[in-house]
Amino acid sequence: MPVRTVLAAALGSVALLCAAVAPATAASGESVTVDRTGRLASDGTVTLSGTYTCTGAGGPVFISSSVSQDSPNYKYGIGGTRAVCDGAEHRWENTGKVTSEKLKPGAARVEATIMELRSTGGLPLPSFHATGQRDITLTED
């Protein structure tokens, strides 16, 4: 079986598990923040940023982010950044493209999550370190 097929299946499983499992409360000293403003380019490219702190990871860790506007039922995933869980505060920045008519400059809601992929029986399963939400302003880039 091609590696891409296996990876796609694993990531699909993780996405389903992420939807079914609520993020855990952050462990002591772990946090993720979202900056007050995000950037929206005319082609639909969105850039979100903030800070994070995490510790004790044994597998790969990522900062994921999503943005919603007008309806909390529609969230758009905006990139993912590899994280370093050494207990120090780090910056994160995610960029992703959304169909340009889906978002507009103005008020938006962003959620960012520190998520580790832990291998359990050979299958990477999500383990949540921290999550943060903030109302922001999307500005034209």
Side-chain angles (χ1 to χ4, degrees), residues 114-127:
I114 304 173
M115 194 259 319
E116 176 182 358
L117 291 176
R118 290 188 181 160
S119 183
T120 304
L123 181 65
L125 296 175
S127 175

Side-chain angles (χ1 to χ4, degrees), residues 21-27 127-131:
V21 178
T25 303
S127 175
F128 299 97
H129 286 253
T131 188

